[in-house]
Amino acid sequence: MDTAAKSNARLIIDVNGVRRIVPIDSTPFTMGRGADRDLSLPYPHVSREHACIERDAEGYLLRDTGSRHGTFVNGVQISSTRLRSHDSINLGLSHGVLLFENAEESTVRTLIGRISQTSPDLESQSDLEKLSLFLKAAQSLNTYGAINDVLRTMVEYAIRITAAERGFVFLGESADVFHLECAQDRYGEAILGHPTISFSIVREAAKSQLDFILSDVTEEVGRQRHSLVLNAIRSVVAIPLRGQNSGRLLGLLYLDSHFGSRDFTHTGKDILHAIASQAATLLENLRMIEVERESALFRKELEIAASIQRQIIPQTLPEFSFARLSARTIPCTGVGGDFYDVIPVPNGFVAIVADVCGKGVPAALLASMVQGMFHAQVNVQNTTTISLVDAVQSVNTFVCSRVADEKYVTLAVLRYTHTEGGEAHIELVNGGHVSPFVVRANGRIETITDGDLPVGLLDFARFHAISITLGVGDRIILLSDGISEAESLEGNQFGLQRVERHLMQSDPVAALFLALDRFCQGTRPQDDQTVLSIDRTA
């Protein structure tokens, strides 16, 4: 290992509530199942050489080193990405969560603490120089808890530079929606309660395109702004804080004084310009950090949803002496609206492939709900005489009543019954789904085109069953339209004809997805893709 690049980061490992800290003493820092890795994780879905953390001039990088099950940062699969403090790392489908922390962040806090106080090595610098240094340090700080500290210190320096008595920071995109975020006096004490300030100047500054508005309370000004006289305010400066790139109003810095001896309206304009520019940049950066944090939280929630969905959809299918099954589903986003399931019943099983219209979390929620309902319906069938048609009808009624005019489901569901006489009988209901294929042992392919309306589209829809007989060596395949409608780089669709070319393979599911990879040449899927294959073996 190259130890030349000394590191100041660590990983916090949380496995089933047990936490331990692993320092990243040097880089590259290797991770995997192998015992020779810097961090060895003995999980089946972690590859022997899974990933590594490297360091360059700009910080830390996480790189996947050819793992089988992928590397995920905040729920998003990556090949290489820059790490930020508090990023969540998952190696494959393992249950262990790695939290990355950059210890250099404490160095930034120390610097801000030193600048916030008058230390000997900083006494020679002017307040404006120290404010500039503070703001630059604060811009590097990327934690929620520091925001209020940053604003308080910014107000403290602005008061000292302008000789003001009080300082306030308002946040918001207009005076109508401003909320007070920070208020303190020249002694550093917080100002509580409703502030007694000139809101007319606040509104005027927020609406103007000026960098700042100064007001020295003369008799003439007092007649125009009664709040200044009423609250005994002698001097005011209001500085709109606008995004340096967007020009959009982010907030406002307001400073005032009750004492005539503290008239700061003659503060140099270059200093006020500097405060306005630096403070606005700081606010813009803080807002960007907040957006990033919210995005990271959303990605984490999406990761949890994807994990739950992976657990709901069977990763291993039940085995039967008379049939062989294989299936695979790939969502086009973190979670998907496709699902498959196989539910054992006496003398056979019920199998389903479904596709909820739309993508992402809303589709995944409805998919999980429909899957759960089918489990419940099939379990009822084991004790009563309810038919497959009745089960689909019941799901249609429920979806129409709960999510009418918003979502619907296409599905193909079948009951495979192995009779005492050694025959295989299939009862199939197709609710607006892609036509299933029957592949006979002699190579003939039949398309089952009969079907009904999608489930949940119309409450008066009615469904019927199709009867199919399978001989030994015959196969039936259910798939979603994400397979046939997958597009190449040129925008051409994979099509049903290409699908049929791979249905005779010994493993049609693997063959179809391999053919899709070659056809799409890395193009991101635009829809979820699902295939379920059932072979009669006896």
Side-chain angles (χ1 to χ4, degrees):
M1 178 182 291
D2 179 11
T3 58
K6 198 65 179 176
S7 174
N8 290 299
R10 64 182 186 174
L11 290 172
I12 300 177
I13 305 174
D14 189 335
V15 180
N16 298 324
V18 178
R19 291 165 61 90
R20 65 186 176 103
I21 297 175
V22 178
I24 303 176
D25 292 327
S26 57
T27 54
F29 182 86
T30 58
M31 299 178 286
R33 195 172 71 250
D36 59 340
R37 301 292 89 188
D38 295 310
L39 176 60
S40 179
L41 297 169
Y43 302 116
H45 289 98
V46 176
S47 298
R48 186 172 297 277
E49 298 179 2
H50 199 110
C52 73
I53 295 175
E54 301 169 345
R55 190 179 184 187
D56 60 14
E58 297 181 15
Y60 296 90
L61 292 164
L62 175 64
R63 182 168 57 86
D64 184 279
T65 52
S67 69
R68 181 176 182 182
H69 296 288
T71 301
F72 301 81
V73 174
N74 299 322
V76 178
Q77 187 170 3
I78 59 96
S79 56
S80 178
T81 189
R82 189 162 299 282
L83 287 172
R84 299 285 300 274
S85 194
H86 304 296
D87 276 347
S88 173
I89 302 171
N90 284 84
L91 303 185
L93 304 176
S94 65
H95 297 295
V97 176
L98 311 179
L99 182 67
F100 174 79
E101 284 195 352
N102 184 355
E104 291 179 354
E105 186 173 286
S106 62
T107 303
V108 177
R109 287 187 179 276
T110 301
L111 176 60
I112 290 177
R114 287 178 56 226
I115 296 170
S116 299
Q117 302 170 2
T118 305
S119 54
D121 57 337
L122 293 173
E123 284 183 346
S124 61
Q125 293 180 315
S126 70
D127 280 334
L128 183 59
E129 289 173 326
K130 284 186 279 188
L131 175 61
S132 178
L133 183 59
F134 161 76
L135 291 173
K136 288 179 181 178
Q139 288 167 17
S140 303
L141 199 61
N142 61 350
T143 56
Y144 277 129
I147 291 178
N148 199 260
D149 293 337
V150 168
L151 293 179
R152 284 204 309 270
T153 308
M154 180 181 76
V155 171
E156 176 188 339
Y157 276 103
I159 289 174
R160 287 166 58 176
I161 291 169
T162 59
E165 183 185 356
R166 305 185 304 171
F168 304 82
V169 177
F170 294 89
L171 298 184
E173 298 181 357
S174 72
D176 295 332
V177 296
F178 273 167
H179 63 275
L180 183 61
E181 189 72 20
C182 178
Q184 67 184 57
D185 61 23
R186 61 192 177 96
Y187 303 108
E189 297 294 330
I191 299 173
L192 305 177
H194 190 71
T196 54
I197 64 174
S198 175
F199 284 99
S200 62
I201 289 183
V202 169
R203 287 190 292 270
E204 181 181 338
K207 293 177 181 179
S208 76
Q209 296 302 312
L210 301 175
D211 287 342
F212 51 85
I213 288 181
L214 287 166
S215 182
D216 183 16
V217 183
T218 62
E219 184 178 348
E220 181 180 350
V221 172
R223 288 195 297 268
Q224 298 172 353
R225 303 186 188 278
H226 299 291
S227 61
L228 294 178
V229 176
L230 181 63
N231 296 310
I233 297 173
R234 297 298 300 271
S235 301
V236 175
V237 59
I239 304 174
L241 305 178
R242 301 185 184 279
Q244 299 299 293
N245 298 320
S246 64
R248 188 160 52 95
L249 185 66
L250 306 174
L252 184 133
L253 174 62
Y254 174 98
L255 307 163
D256 70 12
S257 176
H258 290 79
F259 303 101
S261 60
R262 296 188 179 276
D263 178 10
F264 53 84
T265 59
H266 301 296
T267 301
K269 292 185 177 181
D270 57 337
I271 292 178
L272 294 177
H273 277 295
I275 293 175
S277 175
Q278 292 292 329
T281 300
L282 173 60
L283 272 186
E284 197 166 39
N285 287 355
L286 290 175
R287 176 166 289 190
M288 289 174 62
I289 290 168
E290 186 175 352
V291 170
E292 289 178 8
R293 291 296 183 195
E294 290 175 352
S295 178
L297 178 61
F298 174 76
R299 290 194 300 269
K300 181 62 178 177
E301 291 174 344
L302 196 63
E303 175 192 356
I304 294 172
S307 175
I308 292 172
Q309 188 175 50
R310 285 195 299 268
Q311 295 175 43
I312 292 175
I313 297 176
Q315 300 303 302
T316 57
L317 295 174
E319 296 182 357
F320 302 95
S321 61
F322 49 83
R324 182 176 65 251
L325 293 83
S326 63
R328 185 181 180 188
T329 184
I330 297 179
C332 65
T333 59
V335 291
D338 277 18
F339 74 87
Y340 67 83
D341 207 347
V342 177
I343 310 166
V345 297
N347 301 320
F349 57 85
V350 172
I352 180 173
V353 168
D355 178 4
V356 176
C357 74
K359 306 175 185 66
V361 174
L365 287 173
L366 181 55
S368 298
M369 182 176 67
V370 171
Q371 185 181 9
M373 284 200 67
F374 263 101
H375 264 275
Q377 292 293 320
V378 170
N379 289 333
V380 168
Q381 291 180 48
N382 289 337
T383 57
T384 66
T385 57
I386 184 173
S387 69
L388 201 62
V389 170
D390 291 337
V392 174
Q393 197 75 55
S394 179
V395 174
N396 180 78
T397 301
F398 180 84
V399 174
C400 284
S401 66
R402 298 301 175 92
V403 289
D405 301 323
E406 295 182 15
K407 294 285 184 185
Y408 60 86
V409 187
T410 70
L411 57 83
V413 56
L414 62 84
R415 184 203 302 272
Y416 186 114
T417 303
H418 188 72
T419 66
E420 294 182 358
E423 296 181 348
H425 176 70
I426 288 179
E427 176 191 6
L428 171 72
V429 177
N430 187 336
H433 201 70
V434 177
S435 297
F437 293 96
V438 174
V439 183
R440 299 299 179 183
N442 61 9
R444 188 176 80 254
I445 298 176
E446 302 171 6
T447 305
I448 311 301
T449 57
D450 193 5
D452 301 301
L453 290 172
V455 173
L457 186 63
L458 298 170
D459 57 3
F460 56 80
R462 292 294 176 265
F463 303 90
H464 73 288
I466 306 160
S467 181
I468 302 170
T469 301
L470 289 186
V472 176
D474 288 351
R475 167 184 295 163
I476 185 166
I477 294 179
L478 312 179
L479 69 159
S480 65
D481 58 10
I483 300 292
S484 58
E485 295 177 2
E487 294 187 352
S488 66
L489 288 172
E490 295 78 23
N492 299 318
Q493 288 193 349
F494 190 69
L496 291 175
Q497 289 185 344
R498 285 190 179 87
V499 170
E500 292 185 13
R501 295 174 193 170
H502 303 281
L503 299 185
M504 287 295 296
Q505 299 291 328
S506 58
D507 187 348
V509 175
L512 273 172
F513 278 101
L514 179 60
L516 277 173
D517 287 341
R518 292 172 176 170
F519 178 79
C520 297
Q521 298 176 307
T523 303
R524 186 180 179 88
Q526 299 300 306
D527 198 0
D528 306 325
Q529 301 172 338
T530 304
V531 182
L532 171 65
S533 173
I534 302 169
D535 289 58
R536 180 184 174 186
T537 58

